[in-house]
Amino acid sequence: MNDSEAQNWSARQSSELYGVEEWGGGYFGVNADGNVEVRAPGNGDRVAVALTDIIDGLQQRGLDMPVLLRIENLVDSRITILNESFAEAIKTTGYQGQYRGAFPIKVNQQSHIVEEIARFGERYNHGLEAGSKAELMIAMSVLQNRESLIVCNGYKDEEFIDLGLQARKLGFKCIFVLETLAEVRLVIERSRAHKVDPIIGVRLKLSTKVEGHWAEDSGDRSLFGLTTNQLVEIIDELREAELLHCLELLHFHLGSQIPNIRSIRAGVLEACRYYIEMVAEGAPLRYIDLGGGLAIDYDGTSSVSGHSRNYSVQEYCVDVVEALAQQLNAHNLPHPTIVTESGRATVAHTSVLLFNVLDVGHFEPGPVPSDLPENMHEQISNLWYTLKAINVDKLQESYNDVIYYRDQVRDCFFRGEVNLRDRAFAENLCLAGLQQIVALLPKMKRIPPELEELPEQLADIYYGNFSVFQSLPDSWAINQVFPVMPIHRLNEKPSRQATIADLTCDCDGKLDSFAGPEGETKTLSLHSIKEGEEYYLGVFLVGAYQETLGDLHNLFGDTNVASVRINADGTLDFVHELHGDSIADVLSYVEYDPQSMFRQFRMAAEQAVRDGRISVSERQSMLAAYSESLRGYTYFER
């Protein structure tokens, strides 16, 4: 890149390069100063704040990198968009039922998030979905609106059902979604013991198949849901127990992050057939619950890839409402309340992982002398002359020769025919040759398959101050792609191609798949590091699942967390701050006692004093440093 290209680069070009407007959902953009900004919906306008300004505020409050940043405004906005989109679809289609959302707590169980959802969703009667006793207890404690639903999914023991029945007595609309035949008998037994009628739902195993990461969880091989035979048995058991009047909800779940709207519509149409037949059996159904599946556009392609979707929230709502109305009107049935358990679409946008770059590993050759040094081994000479002959007309041949002679030199080294310095010289020549070939690749009419991945193999490695396993577990476990980009210097043209490594001592601790406007790429465009300046990257759309699924690989604990609210005048409120795990915290998670560890270290230091290896003052310094480290952050501290 020459100086002219660097000077002519604009923030708009950076926005296009990283696809911000495509995956950002209107919440993120690049300002004229070259900084990523958060655009919070306001009264008809969007108020923008640069992430670098937020980082300044975090550091002033003692929150070092890495930080998980949550933006309260976006939680509010996502709930509003979902509820208003369904309201508009219901109005325009003449649908006679209502909409009720239920956020699945498992998607993000953090108290601040769930409390925000309950608070912002209260005006829409937005409820919660609980898949365990612990999550049900959360729902019972945070929901204030008795019109909001608590949908109980998952396997239920006696205690789970008793908790739900107590919620019914308190006025909650708590619905037991039956997953197995055993559950219906337990619900019947416990409801009689508590003398309260339950609200019952049934989860169906539909035959509709979907695309995406979770495709195998749909169709006949789905892990969850009742078969048609089991559904009939449950209806008969409820009728016999004189509780068929309690069967009010039909539930199905096609899978998470469904990319194709046609699959969603097909699932709704299939569920309607069950709904119609269940009403004919005498079940007074009032709700139809679509479960989750509403996808977000992680890569900005608006496609049916596993990282995207080919529809908007508005289209999703319209298709669902139209499909239900079409089927039920044909049988003159009342329109039920539509329930969805959209989790990813509610909270993914609301969180950003921010971290700094600690170092960079380059695959650049060192200086190559103009003349071949004397007395070089024959194979090194061959490598030297191969470099001199590289040209665009025979790049494949040149590549073959460079690799061949490099391997010959390595064999000579193993046999003791080449010394350490000569091998280092040859390795540098090889790297120089490969970089020459990469530079000429754009001039080829057709790049040979063997050379297509060469740029990736020579890309830089940027070492980030974070743990993939703690903060981005889905990128490792299921190859989920998240948008990653620099959050500043975006009015400069990025000149490096790189992958990103984390702090863990693990070859899987890396990011090497990136979202872009043209689809997934294996490297990311980044800027050269400036001496003495921090370089910050952001990983976006990480609000769903990542926090709870994270693990303690290498004992890197929870990061610092901050929640901010952007005011209408552009000012910031830091409404929630949580310092990440200390070393003592993570040691206790794996059953170490930090106090015992300190005592043992003190004994070792005292013994060293007695043995004359250290002085008393050195002992004191060591104990102080050890104690301070126990209280310190598990991540890199400058």
Side-chain angles (χ1 to χ4, degrees):
M1 178 180 66
N2 58 44
D3 292 341
S4 176
E5 287 178 316
Q7 291 173 358
N8 292 332
W9 190 259
S10 68
R12 178 186 57 78
Q13 288 171 293
S14 284
S15 180
E16 294 172 354
L17 174 65
Y18 297 108
V20 183
E21 300 298 334
E22 285 73 29
W23 53 255
Y27 299 121
F28 301 100
V30 180
N31 64 24
D33 294 328
N35 298 318
V36 173
E37 61 183 13
V38 183
R39 297 169 179 171
N43 297 323
D45 297 312
R46 288 184 181 268
V47 182
V49 174
L51 286 177
T52 49
D53 291 341
I54 296 177
I55 287 177
D56 288 344
L58 293 173
Q59 292 177 336
Q60 291 167 12
R61 290 164 174 78
L63 295 174
D64 295 324
M65 295 293 108
V67 173
L68 182 73
L69 175 68
R70 302 182 186 133
I71 302 102
E72 268 197 6
N73 309 66
L74 305 194
V75 181
D76 192 353
S77 174
R78 297 305 294 175
I79 291 174
T80 299
I81 287 173
L82 183 60
N83 281 274
E84 295 293 343
S85 295
F86 262 114
E88 181 63 23
I90 286 169
K91 179 180 178 181
T92 56
T93 60
Y95 191 82
Q96 298 303 304
Q98 299 176 310
Y99 169 72
R100 290 288 183 269
F103 174 75
I105 297 175
K106 68 181 180 184
V107 175
N108 194 322
Q109 295 113 324
Q110 302 301 319
S111 62
H112 193 66
I113 289 289
V114 177
E115 289 165 2
E116 285 176 358
I117 289 169
R119 177 161 55 94
F120 295 137
E122 185 170 7
R123 65 188 185 276
Y124 296 113
N125 302 317
H126 205 95
L128 296 169
E129 182 267 345
S132 67
K133 288 179 282 190
E135 291 181 352
L136 176 55
M137 295 176 76
I138 291 171
M140 292 169 64
S141 69
V142 302
L143 280 181
Q144 303 299 317
N145 186 347
R146 294 300 186 266
E147 289 300 310
S148 300
L149 302 181
I150 300 177
V151 180
C152 297
N153 288 320
Y155 292 105
K156 306 164 195 68
D157 61 10
E158 182 176 308
E159 185 177 5
F160 194 153
I161 291 168
D162 284 351
L163 280 169
L165 292 171
Q166 291 163 13
R168 287 281 295 129
K169 287 185 175 181
L170 294 174
F172 288 103
K173 291 187 175 181
C174 184
I175 304 173
F176 296 116
V177 179
L178 303 180
E179 306 265 1
T180 67
L181 290 170
E183 286 180 350
V184 67
R185 294 153 195 163
L186 195 54
V187 168
I188 291 170
E189 174 194 326
R190 300 313 301 163
S191 63
R192 285 172 175 167
H194 285 273
K195 296 182 173 57
V196 59
D197 277 356
I199 305 176
I200 296 174
V202 287
R203 179 170 179 172
L204 303 181
K205 189 193 296 277
L206 299 185
S207 61
T208 301
K209 294 284 291 181
V210 302
E211 302 87 350
H213 276 307
W214 293 269
E216 293 185 4
D217 192 38
S218 61
D220 295 333
R221 291 294 297 171
S222 172
L223 295 177
F224 305 102
L226 302 164
T227 65
T228 307
N229 286 333
Q230 291 170 329
L231 173 62
V232 170
E233 287 187 54
I234 283 178
I235 290 173
D236 289 344
E237 291 208 29
L238 289 174
R239 181 182 285 114
E240 184 178 346
E242 298 183 348
L243 287 177
L244 187 58
H245 65 281
C246 298
L247 181 52
E248 298 187 15
L249 180 142
L250 182 153
H251 182 291
F252 66 96
H253 176 70
L254 297 174
S256 183
Q257 181 70 12
I258 302 173
N260 195 337
I261 189 63
R262 291 187 295 276
S263 300
I264 295 171
R265 190 178 183 100
V268 173
L269 292 174
E270 182 183 0
C272 282
R273 283 301 310 149
Y274 281 93
Y275 187 97
I276 292 162
E277 293 299 326
M278 288 173 65
V279 170
E281 287 280 341
L285 294 178
R286 296 177 52 205
Y287 304 96
I288 185 163
D289 186 341
L290 281 65
L294 176 57
I296 63 168
D297 197 354
Y298 284 103
D299 63 16
T301 60
S302 298
S303 67
V304 293
S305 78
H307 310 305
S308 187
R309 81 286 180 267
N310 66 355
Y311 56 92
S312 64
V313 174
Q314 291 75 15
E315 183 181 358
Y316 169 84
C317 296
V318 168
D319 275 29
V320 167
V321 173
E322 283 184 347
L324 285 169
Q326 170 191 333
Q327 292 293 302
L328 300 180
N329 288 346
H331 292 80
N332 296 316
L333 291 179
H335 296 170
T337 295
I338 301 168
V339 181
T340 68
E341 300 168 14
S342 298
R344 190 184 302 271
T346 304
V347 296
H349 293 83
T350 64
S351 297
V352 182
L353 175 67
L354 300 170
F355 64 91
N356 54 323
V357 172
L358 303 175
D359 199 1
V360 180
H362 294 295
F363 291 82
E364 295 285 351
V368 176
S370 56
D371 298 313
L372 180 66
E374 295 180 359
N375 301 320
M376 279 292 163
H377 192 281
E378 177 185 1
Q379 300 296 356
I380 298 178
S381 298
N382 291 336
L383 182 55
W384 168 276
Y385 289 113
T386 297
L387 263 63
K388 297 299 182 181
I390 292 175
N391 65 69
V392 72
D393 295 326
K394 54 175 185 176
L395 284 189
Q396 179 69 66
E397 179 183 345
S398 297
Y399 173 79
N400 295 341
D401 289 344
V402 167
I403 297 301
Y404 174 77
Y405 290 125
R406 179 205 64 184
D407 291 344
Q408 289 296 303
V409 172
R410 289 177 176 178
D411 288 342
C412 291
F413 178 75
F414 295 150
R415 295 193 297 268
E417 299 171 9
V418 168
N419 64 30
L420 178 64
R421 292 183 181 276
D422 286 346
R423 173 169 175 172
F425 179 73
E427 297 283 355
N428 190 61
L429 290 179
C430 174
L431 198 53
L434 294 178
Q435 290 289 6
Q436 286 183 45
I437 293 169
V438 167
L440 292 173
L441 286 179
K443 297 183 179 180
M444 296 188 74
K445 293 181 180 179
R446 185 184 64 83
I447 299 176
E450 193 174 10
L451 302 184
E452 286 180 347
E453 296 182 1
L454 189 55
E456 298 166 14
Q457 296 167 4
L458 297 176
D460 296 337
I461 301 175
Y462 277 52
Y463 294 92
N465 188 14
F466 74 108
S467 164
V468 164
F469 305 97
Q470 175 59 237
S471 296
L472 303 170
D474 276 351
S475 70
W476 165 70
I478 60 171
N479 298 317
Q480 174 66 56
V481 169
F482 295 97
V484 186
M485 66 178 294
I487 65 163
H488 59 147
R489 294 179 58 187
L490 295 170
N491 48 10
E492 304 173 33
K493 185 174 182 178
S495 58
R496 311 300 303 179
Q497 291 298 310
T499 59
I500 300 171
D502 70 1
L503 289 177
T504 63
C505 300
D506 196 302
C507 60
D508 285 337
K510 62 183 178 182
L511 299 177
D512 58 3
S513 292
F514 302 97
E518 304 301 324
E520 187 176 341
T521 62
K522 294 300 182 183
T523 60
L524 182 67
S525 296
L526 296 174
H527 304 89
S528 297
I529 301 299
K530 294 181 178 179
E531 187 70 28
E533 291 186 15
E534 292 281 19
Y535 188 56
Y536 295 108
L537 302 182
V539 186
F540 296 80
L541 312 187
V542 299
Y545 295 104
Q546 302 316 294
E547 292 183 68
T548 305
L549 291 178
D551 69 16
L552 293 174
H553 198 14
N554 279 130
L555 297 186
F556 287 108
D558 285 340
T559 66
N560 291 327
V561 178
S563 291
V564 300
R565 183 159 190 88
I566 301 172
N567 300 314
D569 60 0
T571 59
L572 278 174
D573 288 335
F574 287 79
V575 295
H576 179 72
E577 301 168 29
L578 180 64
H579 284 266
D581 286 330
S582 68
I583 292 175
D585 291 333
V586 297
L587 288 171
S588 67
Y589 300 157
V590 287
E591 301 178 21
Y592 290 91
D593 181 353
Q595 291 183 345
S596 295
M597 292 172 66
F598 181 78
R599 285 196 298 270
Q600 290 170 334
F601 182 76
R602 184 178 60 194
M603 290 170 60
E606 187 62 30
Q607 184 64 48
V609 171
R610 288 196 296 269
D611 295 341
R613 290 193 294 271
I614 61 173
S615 66
V616 173
S617 62
E618 287 175 316
R619 168 194 179 276
Q620 290 303 100
S621 296
M622 289 180 181
L623 291 179
Y626 193 91
S627 178
E628 184 178 355
S629 292
L630 284 172
R631 297 190 300 271
Y633 201 18
T634 60
Y635 294 91
F636 190 91
E637 298 177 279
R638 295 202 186 271

